[in-house]
Amino acid sequence: MVTSALLYLAFLGAVSLERLAELVISRRNARRAFARGGVEVGQRHFRVMALMHSAFLAACALEVVLLERPFPGLLGALALAVALLAQGLRYWVITTLGEQWNVRVIVVPGATPVSGGPYRYLRHPNYAAVIAEMAAIPLIHGAWLTALVFSVLNALVLRVRIRAEEEALGPAYAAQMGGLPRLVPGRRAAPERPSSP
């Protein structure tokens, strides 16, 4: 008999396959960026982020199976809708950035910041999608503990990641994108603090 838990595990499997496909695209784009003189920053926090994302989907499955979380009805349906919308935002980001999209922070000297697509509204739409997914994917099948723990971990990692990325992108990025909100549309960005000498 097909149960909601089995359907949820199948959904997690599909998300895992999609993430593997993204890694293939990312590696291809990284090779192209390095060939154009790209420089990678943030390798240390990237390892932590990669480990967290790998553990996330496993934790979703384990909490549902081991703790026998039931499908939460309307909340689960709403969480699925949020997860699918977040996935759509991820694809919009990947399509908009094209060869510049990467899971790593690789800056190509002289490359102009992308300001089309979702970047008309947010500085970091991909991270907004990740935040939504970290909360929504576990809640599809009542894995509230995973949603809570990984949302907190993700916030800590993104705090470091966004700072490193914006510093690496430099003054041209700050001038072009600095007035946009980072993660929440319509919310104005905090004024940039001047760097200490």
Side-chain angles (χ1 to χ4, degrees), residues 7-182:
L7 290 173
Y8 179 66
L9 294 176
F11 173 78
L12 292 178
V15 172
S16 299
L17 290 174
E18 189 274 332
R19 295 296 187 265
L20 290 174
E22 285 183 6
L23 288 177
V24 171
I25 295 168
S26 177
R27 285 190 182 121
R28 181 197 67 200
N29 290 345
R31 284 194 301 271
R32 291 174 178 173
F34 289 135
R36 296 194 320 267
V39 177
E40 183 176 0
V41 299
Q43 294 95 326
R44 189 178 309 150
H45 79 254
F46 176 76
R47 286 191 286 272
V48 173
M49 190 173 78
L51 178 62
M52 180 188 68
H53 280 266
S54 299
F56 169 68
L57 292 174
C60 289
L62 289 171
E63 182 172 351
V64 168
V65 172
L66 297 179
L67 299 182
E68 298 180 356
R69 298 291 194 212
F71 177 70
L74 180 58
L75 175 61
L78 290 173
L80 177 59
V82 170
L84 293 175
L85 287 170
Q87 190 62 31
L89 179 56
R90 285 169 70 89
Y91 285 132
W92 193 15
V93 166
I94 291 169
T95 302
T96 300
L97 289 179
E99 290 186 2
Q100 291 187 49
W101 180 81
N102 209 293
V103 297
R104 297 176 177 272
V105 180
I106 302 173
V107 179
V108 177
T112 56
V114 173
S115 58
Y119 292 91
R120 288 176 295 195
Y121 312 105
L122 293 174
R123 277 189 269 177
H124 300 286
N126 190 63
Y127 301 145
V130 171
I131 289 167
E133 287 174 337
M134 288 279 178
I137 289 176
L139 293 178
I140 291 170
H141 213 283
W144 62 268
L145 191 56
T146 298
L148 179 63
V149 169
F150 280 87
S151 290
V152 170
L153 292 174
N154 186 51
L156 295 172
V157 170
L158 283 183
R159 184 176 170 87
V160 174
R161 168 81 167 197
I162 288 172
R163 185 179 302 128
E165 187 171 312
E166 290 186 351
E167 284 177 10
L169 289 168
Y173 171 84
Q176 184 171 328
M177 305 294 284
L180 290 174
R182 281 192 171 99

